[in-house]
Amino acid sequence: MPRTSSTDRRLETEPRVRRGYFECRYGQLHMHNAIPPGGGFEEGTPLLCLHGARGSGRAFTGFLALTGRDRSVYAPDLPGCGESDPPPPPATLADYIAALGDFLDSMRLRQVDVFGHGAGAVLAAELALARPGQVRRLALMALPAGSEAGSGPAREAGEALAAAAADYPLRERLRRLTQSVLLVRSQEPSGPDAAARLRDLVPAARVADLADSGADPLAAAPARVAEAVGAFLRG
């Protein structure tokens, strides 16, 4: 009988981190995802991760490898970002929500949790409002105070998303949320101060303070982000 090495045993208990494509109304949606070794079907509620305007689903690479240990986790390149096809201009928040809805419907996910970063946090809130019976819990980090577009290639990739999120009426929309909410504080420009203001709009929200984890906790401290978000989702 062949022996099982320690490396083989470790791989058997680690999530499978993969990439793939899904169809949506604008073409193809490129997806980064992690699935627990057991397949994820008997595990925790699936988690959908939405990146900011400057990036792609790749921003969640370290987070996926950790959070995917006990649930299926999906991090799409939002339409027009990364390797996903863009919506027709001028894109609105409703266009991005429609593409995400196509993905959820194609996967037949009855319930999901959503974690949004930057402009992705705006989309997470809107998705929760659009599908209140499907979105169970909501984690928001670095909600943008203004445009995230930046400059150069990153600006071209995320300009439409940043523009769609720039004038988001936070006060009006967040007050309508019925889901449990986690606000993740960071050192980003929209981090601690914005989280404190948002706490007034969502009084029942929990707060996870990662203010000492650098400007980009997803890259610098994915384990801390995974721990904070995971504890909230399990709770």
Side-chain angles (χ1 to χ4, degrees):
M1 179 179 296
R3 293 183 177 179
T4 301
S5 68
S6 59
T7 300
D8 292 334
R9 287 193 295 271
R10 179 179 60 80
L11 292 175
E12 289 174 358
T13 60
E14 291 299 311
R16 295 170 289 166
V17 181
R18 298 177 175 178
R19 295 188 298 158
Y21 286 90
F22 292 83
E23 296 297 322
C24 74
R25 66 192 63 199
Y26 308 122
Q28 290 191 310
L29 196 67
H30 182 239
M31 186 73 58
H32 307 254
N33 70 285
I35 300 176
F41 302 106
E42 73 288 352
E43 308 292 344
T45 302
L47 177 64
L48 179 65
C49 301
L50 306 178
H51 65 81
R54 292 179 179 174
S56 70
R58 188 181 296 275
F60 292 97
T61 298
F63 179 85
L64 287 174
L66 297 166
T67 309
R69 290 171 176 168
D70 61 2
R71 71 189 66 239
S72 295
V73 190
Y74 303 93
D77 294 349
L78 293 167
C81 300
E83 298 179 45
S84 291
D85 292 327
T92 66
L93 287 179
D95 294 324
Y96 292 100
I97 296 302
L100 294 171
D102 291 341
F103 167 70
L104 295 178
D105 292 341
S106 69
M107 291 293 290
R108 299 182 180 180
L109 297 175
R110 297 178 60 185
Q111 197 169 57
V112 294
D113 296 323
V114 186
F115 174 31
H117 176 263
V122 168
L123 291 179
E126 277 303 293
L127 186 63
L129 290 170
R131 298 189 173 217
Q134 192 172 20
V135 176
R136 186 187 70 125
R137 294 191 173 213
L138 198 61
L140 308 175
M141 183 165 73
L143 270 159
S147 174
E148 291 185 84
S151 59
R155 185 180 193 277
E156 295 175 8
E159 184 174 15
L161 175 57
D167 298 323
Y168 185 70
L170 286 176
R171 179 175 298 275
E172 173 188 349
R173 302 302 284 168
L174 292 185
R175 285 181 170 176
R176 297 186 181 186
L177 291 172
T178 58
Q179 294 87 349
S180 297
V181 178
L182 173 71
L183 300 175
V184 183
R185 293 163 50 103
S186 70
Q187 287 182 354
E188 298 177 67
S190 58
D193 292 339
R197 293 195 302 270
L198 294 173
R199 186 66 171 77
D200 295 334
L201 302 181
V202 193
R206 290 173 55 181
V207 176
D209 193 346
L210 304 182
D212 58 346
S213 296
D216 185 0
L218 280 172
R224 290 198 62 194
V225 180
E227 180 181 4
V229 173
F232 168 69
L233 298 182
R234 289 189 297 271

